[in-house]
Amino acid sequence: MSDFDDETRLLPIGEPSGGRQSFTGHVHPGWNIGANPNGGYLMALAVAGLRQAAPGHPDPLSVTVHYLRPGLAGQPCRVDVQVLRTGRALSTARATLSQEGGPRLEVLAALGVLSTESEPTLALPAPAMPPPEHCVPRSADEQGVALPILDRLDIRLHPDEARAGSTGMAQVTGWIRFHDGRAPDAVASVLFADAFPPAVFGLLGVVGWVPTVELTVHLRRKPAPGWMLGRFETHDLIDGRLVEDGTLWDADGHLVAQSRQLALLRQGARKS
Amino acid sequence: MSDFDDETRLLPIGEPSGGRQSFTGHVHPGWNIGANPNGGYLMALAVAGLRQAAPGHPDPLSVTVHYLRPGLAGQPCRVDVQVLRTGRALSTARATLSQEGGPRLEVLAALGVLSTESEPTLALPAPAMPPPEHCVPRSADEQGVALPILDRLDIRLHPDEARAGSTGMAQVTGWIRFHDGRAPDAVASVLFADAFPPAVFGLLGVVGWVPTVELTVHLRRKPAPGWMLGRFETHDLIDGRLVEDGTLWDADGHLVAQSRQLALLRQGARKS
């Protein structure tokens, strides 16, 4: 069992009824950014509940999360799933992850079956990138915030982009994999879509905190084993709110996922 | 009163309780694509309920809709809203639009306050575009499907892109406004993000039906009065599922909204 599988395991509470099913789990501190659980990890916990409640449709195809309150590391959690529709090709469901009786995140998703073999009609090509051994590990202490999650995830940034404010562009590109050798899959892709430094760091340097309001990940294909490559860009920043687009490719260069998030730009010291 | 305001009006049912509030409305056939209500119009109906349930936060900032079943034109609808969190800057809420007792669409959204005056730090520039009078009205009978919605919306496509399959690119660009002169606003931008022909028509020509699974619209700024300009592109099509990105600018060239949808590509005759 990998850390990720072990630490996203949910146990059902009672029997499903009327499309509703509830689960209990534990928010492990190993995925923290500072004192808070990483948002992609919490999203993966909610997706674990969605997958169990949608038999025959194991793969998230479109997952939207809204973050309501920070998660509590080292505490139990509850995931309440309601299946809204089950069709031949797709199931649609929502999930609420709660801790200490209050909702922490709300998820709305479509699930189905992803292929590994199909050739795309259209796909975004992977950017040129030095191999992982020529890239720079993401710093475990970034802008004064400790990143325990880097004991779980091996993240190597493009050498030209690894220093905040170094490029003048709101762009970050890097390799990512699990440290323990677990192969990537669709649920891991959801986590990987929220595991890189904010792209806006490349433009603005040290900026404080960039909390995500909403993140949508579209899963497009099951990844091949090995490293995945991610690129994240912001082209739209106004009134302290930014849109960040992400793309993930697998080790064979196939497009695996696209993501987009709305985040807040909090200038000044990060509260963590 | 404009058609759009008149035909998205909701009346509350009872008093709000525990963050829950319900509304009744009517799905007007004037916004149909073939026999089905346009998805953007149904989304605007749900957003009308969200706005009433989130006082002080009138503008949708991020709206995600999943389409569960086609809407029923000419029939009443019910919108059930649950506010999940109310903060200083943002409210988060979900809404279910139902007809004949069954859910038709599920919406998850963040609402707040958009500015009209702020200058962006980063923004996507508007593409070069001939003026509306040199563009081609969207055909009221497209791929054999009647488009009653074109009596409500004036849509003018780029002359090089107006014929399906003419460009070899999955891209459509056009002007849009209400026929009755109503000024655009954030809710209209939600509608406009789902009112253009699918971008994939430009690449593949007549392709049948492109039903939306999920659509997320990010509202970035209140639009100025006048025409709005939209560009929609698909760079990702595999296994009969595509991702379409959209961008909307106002008459002053300001970025107003970004959208992204997951849609199915149904080859062959459209069921309408």
Side-chain angles (χ1 to χ4, degrees):
Chain A
M1 186 65 104
S2 73
D3 290 333
F4 184 63
D5 294 316
D6 201 34
E7 291 160 6
T8 55
R9 198 186 308 122
L10 297 180
L11 297 175
I13 305 171
E15 294 296 313
S17 167
R20 292 177 188 270
Q21 193 168 2
S22 295
F23 304 88
T24 182
H26 187 82
V27 176
H28 196 283
W31 305 90
N32 273 19
I33 306 278
N36 294 329
N38 166 258
Y41 167 60
L42 295 175
M43 196 173 180
L45 272 164
V47 168
L50 291 165
R51 297 177 76 213
Q52 288 194 51
H57 293 150
D59 299 319
L61 302 180
S62 166
V63 191
T64 293
V65 60
H66 281 246
Y67 294 101
L68 306 174
R69 294 168 192 85
L72 301 171
Q75 299 289 325
C77 68
R78 179 187 171 109
V79 177
D80 294 292
V81 176
Q82 183 178 8
V83 178
L84 302 169
R85 178 178 176 272
T86 303
R88 189 183 53 78
L90 294 177
S91 292
T92 311
R94 63 188 186 199
T96 307
L97 186 148
S98 304
Q99 289 185 286
E100 292 189 344
R104 304 284 159 171
L105 53 106
E106 179 77 12
V107 173
L108 181 58
L111 296 97
V113 180
L114 286 172
S115 77
T116 46
E117 298 301 324
S118 301
E119 284 304 311
T121 305
L122 294 170
L124 295 160
M129 182 73 180
E133 58 272 23
H134 293 162
C135 291
V136 181
R138 183 176 178 188
S139 167
D141 181 355
E142 191 174 76
Q143 309 211 14
V145 177
L147 301 181
I149 193 173
L150 296 182
D151 290 335
R152 294 282 186 274
L153 297 177
D154 189 356
I155 301 175
R156 311 278 182 92
L157 303 178
H158 193 293
D160 297 341
E161 297 170 355
R163 202 163 47 81
S166 60
T167 61
M169 293 200 307
Q171 174 180 298
V172 62
T173 316
W175 300 102
I176 188 167
R177 67 177 176 185
F178 290 105
H179 265 302
D180 65 7
R182 182 194 188 277
D185 60 8
V187 184
S189 303
V190 168
L191 170 69
F192 292 175
D194 200 27
F196 283 79
V200 75
F201 283 8
L203 177 71
L204 300 179
V206 176
V207 294
W209 193 28
V210 187
T212 302
V213 173
E214 173 265 332
L215 168 64
T216 297
V217 185
H218 290 121
L219 288 308
R220 308 295 295 141
R221 185 188 168 100
K222 286 184 184 174
W227 286 98
M228 283 176 55
L229 176 62
R231 170 162 281 181
F232 299 84
E233 296 168 89
T234 287
H235 300 290
D236 179 0
L237 166 54
I238 184 171
D239 283 329
R241 293 187 286 256
L242 62 86
V243 175
E244 181 180 288
D245 287 341
T247 315
L248 290 167
W249 296 267
D250 69 10
D252 294 338
H254 283 117
L255 176 64
V256 166
Q258 291 200 66
S259 68
R260 179 173 283 175
Q261 69 171 262
L262 178 69
L264 306 178
L265 184 59
R266 301 284 197 210
Q267 302 282 351
R270 180 194 156 102
K271 298 177 296 176
S272 65
Chain B
M1 186 66 105
S2 74
D3 290 333
F4 184 64
D5 294 316
D6 202 34
E7 292 160 6
T8 55
R9 199 186 307 121
L10 297 180
L11 297 175
I13 306 171
E15 294 295 315
S17 166
R20 292 176 189 271
Q21 192 168 5
S22 295
F23 304 89
T24 183
H26 187 82
V27 176
H28 195 283
W31 304 89
N32 272 20
I33 305 279
N36 294 329
N38 166 258
Y41 167 59
L42 295 175
M43 195 174 180
L45 272 164
V47 169
L50 291 165
R51 298 177 76 212
Q52 288 193 50
H57 293 150
D59 299 320
L61 301 181
S62 166
V63 190
T64 293
V65 60
H66 281 246
Y67 294 100
L68 306 174
R69 294 167 192 85
L72 301 171
Q75 300 290 324
C77 68
R78 179 186 170 109
V79 177
D80 294 292
V81 176
Q82 182 177 7
V83 178
L84 302 169
R85 180 179 174 271
T86 303
R88 189 183 51 80
L90 294 176
S91 292
T92 310
R94 63 189 187 198
T96 308
L97 186 148
S98 304
Q99 290 185 284
E100 292 188 345
R104 305 283 159 172
L105 53 105
E106 179 77 12
V107 173
L108 181 57
L111 297 97
V113 180
L114 287 172
S115 77
T116 45
E117 298 301 325
S118 299
E119 283 305 310
T121 305
L122 294 169
L124 295 160
M129 183 72 181
E133 58 272 23
H134 294 162
C135 291
V136 181
R138 183 177 178 186
S139 167
D141 181 355
E142 190 174 77
Q143 309 212 15
V145 177
L147 301 181
I149 193 174
L150 295 183
D151 289 336
R152 293 281 186 276
L153 296 178
D154 189 355
I155 301 176
R156 311 279 182 91
L157 303 179
H158 193 292
D160 297 341
E161 298 171 352
R163 201 162 47 79
S166 61
T167 60
M169 293 201 307
Q171 175 180 298
V172 61
T173 316
W175 300 101
I176 188 167
R177 66 177 177 184
F178 290 106
H179 266 303
D180 65 7
R182 181 194 188 277
D185 60 7
V187 184
S189 303
V190 168
L191 169 70
F192 292 175
D194 200 26
F196 283 80
V200 75
F201 283 8
L203 177 70
L204 300 179
V206 175
V207 294
W209 192 29
V210 187
T212 303
V213 174
E214 173 267 331
L215 167 64
T216 297
V217 185
H218 289 121
L219 288 308
R220 308 295 294 141
R221 187 188 167 102
K222 286 185 184 174
W227 286 97
M228 281 175 56
L229 176 63
R231 168 162 283 181
F232 299 86
E233 297 170 87
T234 288
H235 300 290
D236 179 359
L237 166 56
I238 184 170
D239 284 328
R241 293 188 287 255
L242 61 84
V243 174
E244 181 180 288
D245 286 341
T247 315
L248 291 166
W249 296 267
D250 69 10
D252 294 338
H254 283 117
L255 176 64
V256 167
Q258 290 201 66
S259 68
R260 178 173 284 175
Q261 68 170 263
L262 178 69
L264 306 178
L265 184 60
R266 301 281 198 212
Q267 303 280 351
R270 181 194 155 103
K271 298 175 296 179
S272 66

